mmCIF file with all atom_site columns, all heavy atoms in Angstrom:
data_model
loop_
_atom_site.group_PDB
_atom_site.id
_atom_site.type_symbol
_atom_site.label_atom_id
_atom_site.label_alt_id
_atom_site.label_comp_id
_atom_site.label_asym_id
_atom_site.label_entity_id
_atom_site.label_seq_id
_atom_site.pdbx_PDB_ins_code
_atom_site.Cartn_x
_atom_site.Cartn_y
_atom_site.Cartn_z
_atom_site.occupancy
_atom_site.B_iso_or_equiv
_atom_site.pdbx_formal_charge
_atom_site.auth_seq_id
_atom_site.auth_comp_id
_atom_site.auth_asym_id
_atom_site.auth_atom_id
_atom_site.pdbx_PDB_model_num
ATOM 1  N N   . PHE S 1 52  ? 6.593  26.057 -2.269  1.00 0.00 ? 55  PHE S N   1
ATOM 2  C CA  . PHE S 1 52  ? 5.710  24.894 -2.470  1.00 0.00 ? 55  PHE S CA  1
ATOM 3  C C   . PHE S 1 52  ? 5.222  24.272 -1.153  1.00 0.00 ? 55  PHE S C   1
ATOM 4  O O   . PHE S 1 52  ? 4.078  23.911 -1.026  1.00 0.00 ? 55  PHE S O   1
ATOM 5  C CB  . PHE S 1 52  ? 6.453  23.877 -3.357  1.00 0.00 ? 55  PHE S CB  1
ATOM 6  C CG  . PHE S 1 52  ? 5.745  22.555 -3.389  1.00 0.00 ? 55  PHE S CG  1
ATOM 7  C CD1 . PHE S 1 52  ? 4.658  22.357 -4.128  1.00 0.00 ? 55  PHE S CD1 1
ATOM 8  C CD2 . PHE S 1 52  ? 6.210  21.476 -2.699  1.00 0.00 ? 55  PHE S CD2 1
ATOM 9  C CE1 . PHE S 1 52  ? 3.987  21.142 -4.214  1.00 0.00 ? 55  PHE S CE1 1
ATOM 10 C CE2 . PHE S 1 52  ? 5.621  20.238 -2.694  1.00 0.00 ? 55  PHE S CE2 1
ATOM 11 C CZ  . PHE S 1 52  ? 4.478  20.053 -3.475  1.00 0.00 ? 55  PHE S CZ  1
ATOM 12 N N   . LEU S 1 259 ? 5.522  13.556 2.984   1.00 0.00 ? 262 LEU S N   1
ATOM 13 C CA  . LEU S 1 259 ? 5.978  13.961 1.656   1.00 0.00 ? 262 LEU S CA  1
ATOM 14 C C   . LEU S 1 259 ? 6.458  12.749 0.940   1.00 0.00 ? 262 LEU S C   1
ATOM 15 O O   . LEU S 1 259 ? 7.008  11.813 1.511   1.00 0.00 ? 262 LEU S O   1
ATOM 16 C CB  . LEU S 1 259 ? 7.118  14.987 1.781   1.00 0.00 ? 262 LEU S CB  1
ATOM 17 C CG  . LEU S 1 259 ? 6.848  16.211 2.702   1.00 0.00 ? 262 LEU S CG  1
ATOM 18 C CD1 . LEU S 1 259 ? 8.102  17.088 2.787   1.00 0.00 ? 262 LEU S CD1 1
ATOM 19 C CD2 . LEU S 1 259 ? 5.647  17.031 2.172   1.00 0.00 ? 262 LEU S CD2 1
ATOM 20 N N   . GLN S 1 260 ? 6.307  12.758 -0.358  1.00 0.00 ? 263 GLN S N   1
ATOM 21 C CA  . GLN S 1 260 ? 6.740  11.598 -1.134  1.00 0.00 ? 263 GLN S CA  1
ATOM 22 C C   . GLN S 1 260 ? 7.462  12.102 -2.375  1.00 0.00 ? 263 GLN S C   1
ATOM 23 O O   . GLN S 1 260 ? 7.032  13.013 -3.090  1.00 0.00 ? 263 GLN S O   1
ATOM 24 C CB  . GLN S 1 260 ? 5.532  10.757 -1.566  1.00 0.00 ? 263 GLN S CB  1
ATOM 25 C CG  . GLN S 1 260 ? 5.961  9.412  -2.218  1.00 0.00 ? 263 GLN S CG  1
ATOM 26 C CD  . GLN S 1 260 ? 4.843  8.379  -2.137  1.00 0.00 ? 263 GLN S CD  1
ATOM 27 O OE1 . GLN S 1 260 ? 4.368  8.003  -1.064  1.00 0.00 ? 263 GLN S OE1 1
ATOM 28 N NE2 . GLN S 1 260 ? 4.352  7.967  -3.313  1.00 0.00 ? 263 GLN S NE2 1
ATOM 29 N N   . VAL S 1 261 ? 8.623  11.471 -2.664  1.00 0.00 ? 264 VAL S N   1
ATOM 30 C CA  . VAL S 1 261 ? 9.381  11.766 -3.875  1.00 0.00 ? 264 VAL S CA  1
ATOM 31 C C   . VAL S 1 261 ? 9.418  10.576 -4.784  1.00 0.00 ? 264 VAL S C   1
ATOM 32 O O   . VAL S 1 261 ? 9.367  9.439  -4.325  1.00 0.00 ? 264 VAL S O   1
ATOM 33 C CB  . VAL S 1 261 ? 10.801 12.209 -3.468  1.00 0.00 ? 264 VAL S CB  1
ATOM 34 C CG1 . VAL S 1 261 ? 10.812 13.573 -2.797  1.00 0.00 ? 264 VAL S CG1 1
ATOM 35 C CG2 . VAL S 1 261 ? 11.578 11.184 -2.626  1.00 0.00 ? 264 VAL S CG2 1
ATOM 36 N N   . MET S 1 280 ? 9.813  14.118 -8.732  1.00 0.00 ? 283 MET S N   1
ATOM 37 C CA  . MET S 1 280 ? 8.617  14.773 -8.300  1.00 0.00 ? 283 MET S CA  1
ATOM 38 C C   . MET S 1 280 ? 8.491  14.692 -6.788  1.00 0.00 ? 283 MET S C   1
ATOM 39 O O   . MET S 1 280 ? 8.777  13.701 -6.199  1.00 0.00 ? 283 MET S O   1
ATOM 40 C CB  . MET S 1 280 ? 7.377  14.123 -8.988  1.00 0.00 ? 283 MET S CB  1
ATOM 41 C CG  . MET S 1 280 ? 6.086  14.799 -8.572  1.00 0.00 ? 283 MET S CG  1
ATOM 42 S SD  . MET S 1 280 ? 4.706  14.226 -9.580  1.00 0.00 ? 283 MET S SD  1
ATOM 43 C CE  . MET S 1 280 ? 4.650  12.507 -9.055  1.00 0.00 ? 283 MET S CE  1
ATOM 44 N N   . LEU S 1 281 ? 8.091  15.860 -6.184  1.00 0.00 ? 284 LEU S N   1
ATOM 45 C CA  . LEU S 1 281 ? 7.826  15.936 -4.803  1.00 0.00 ? 284 LEU S CA  1
ATOM 46 C C   . LEU S 1 281 ? 6.343  16.176 -4.561  1.00 0.00 ? 284 LEU S C   1
ATOM 47 O O   . LEU S 1 281 ? 5.796  17.104 -5.169  1.00 0.00 ? 284 LEU S O   1
ATOM 48 C CB  . LEU S 1 281 ? 8.674  17.061 -4.113  1.00 0.00 ? 284 LEU S CB  1
ATOM 49 C CG  . LEU S 1 281 ? 8.316  17.447 -2.635  1.00 0.00 ? 284 LEU S CG  1
ATOM 50 C CD1 . LEU S 1 281 ? 8.705  16.248 -1.778  1.00 0.00 ? 284 LEU S CD1 1
ATOM 51 C CD2 . LEU S 1 281 ? 9.110  18.683 -2.265  1.00 0.00 ? 284 LEU S CD2 1
ATOM 52 N N   . GLU S 1 282 ? 5.711  15.330 -3.780  1.00 0.00 ? 285 GLU S N   1
ATOM 53 C CA  . GLU S 1 282 ? 4.288  15.421 -3.523  1.00 0.00 ? 285 GLU S CA  1
ATOM 54 C C   . GLU S 1 282 ? 4.022  15.617 -2.013  1.00 0.00 ? 285 GLU S C   1
ATOM 55 O O   . GLU S 1 282 ? 4.695  15.027 -1.206  1.00 0.00 ? 285 GLU S O   1
ATOM 56 C CB  . GLU S 1 282 ? 3.550  14.250 -4.008  1.00 0.00 ? 285 GLU S CB  1
ATOM 57 C CG  . GLU S 1 282 ? 3.584  13.989 -5.477  1.00 0.00 ? 285 GLU S CG  1
ATOM 58 C CD  . GLU S 1 282 ? 2.955  12.622 -5.825  1.00 0.00 ? 285 GLU S CD  1
ATOM 59 O OE1 . GLU S 1 282 ? 3.637  11.622 -5.815  1.00 0.00 ? 285 GLU S OE1 1
ATOM 60 O OE2 . GLU S 1 282 ? 1.701  12.638 -6.076  1.00 0.00 ? 285 GLU S OE2 1
ATOM 61 N N   . SER S 1 293 ? 1.813  18.751 -6.015  1.00 0.00 ? 296 SER S N   1
ATOM 62 C CA  . SER S 1 293 ? 3.091  18.201 -6.402  1.00 0.00 ? 296 SER S CA  1
ATOM 63 C C   . SER S 1 293 ? 3.882  19.310 -7.142  1.00 0.00 ? 296 SER S C   1
ATOM 64 O O   . SER S 1 293 ? 3.359  20.273 -7.650  1.00 0.00 ? 296 SER S O   1
ATOM 65 C CB  . SER S 1 293 ? 2.940  16.950 -7.311  1.00 0.00 ? 296 SER S CB  1
ATOM 66 O OG  . SER S 1 293 ? 2.210  17.345 -8.468  1.00 0.00 ? 296 SER S OG  1
ATOM 67 N N   . CYS S 1 294 ? 5.217  19.103 -7.198  1.00 0.00 ? 297 CYS S N   1
ATOM 68 C CA  . CYS S 1 294 ? 6.124  19.920 -8.010  1.00 0.00 ? 297 CYS S CA  1
ATOM 69 C C   . CYS S 1 294 ? 7.261  19.110 -8.474  1.00 0.00 ? 297 CYS S C   1
ATOM 70 O O   . CYS S 1 294 ? 7.478  17.943 -8.020  1.00 0.00 ? 297 CYS S O   1
ATOM 71 C CB  . CYS S 1 294 ? 6.555  21.145 -7.153  1.00 0.00 ? 297 CYS S CB  1
ATOM 72 S SG  . CYS S 1 294 ? 7.782  20.733 -5.885  1.00 0.00 ? 297 CYS S SG  1
ATOM 73 N N   . PHE S 1 296 ? 11.541 18.659 -9.318  1.00 0.00 ? 299 PHE S N   1
ATOM 74 C CA  . PHE S 1 296 ? 12.855 19.117 -8.877  1.00 0.00 ? 299 PHE S CA  1
ATOM 75 C C   . PHE S 1 296 ? 13.922 18.263 -9.538  1.00 0.00 ? 299 PHE S C   1
ATOM 76 O O   . PHE S 1 296 ? 13.681 17.215 -10.053 1.00 0.00 ? 299 PHE S O   1
ATOM 77 C CB  . PHE S 1 296 ? 13.010 19.122 -7.351  1.00 0.00 ? 299 PHE S CB  1
ATOM 78 C CG  . PHE S 1 296 ? 13.037 17.720 -6.795  1.00 0.00 ? 299 PHE S CG  1
ATOM 79 C CD1 . PHE S 1 296 ? 14.243 17.133 -6.532  1.00 0.00 ? 299 PHE S CD1 1
ATOM 80 C CD2 . PHE S 1 296 ? 11.877 17.087 -6.426  1.00 0.00 ? 299 PHE S CD2 1
ATOM 81 C CE1 . PHE S 1 296 ? 14.293 15.831 -5.984  1.00 0.00 ? 299 PHE S CE1 1
ATOM 82 C CE2 . PHE S 1 296 ? 11.888 15.785 -5.858  1.00 0.00 ? 299 PHE S CE2 1
ATOM 83 C CZ  . PHE S 1 296 ? 13.170 15.156 -5.635  1.00 0.00 ? 299 PHE S CZ  1
#
Side-chain angles (χ1 to χ4, degrees):
F55 166 75
L262 307 177
Q263 188 159 300
V264 291
M283 184 170 62
L284 173 64
E285 297 176 271
S296 64
C297 73
F299 69 94

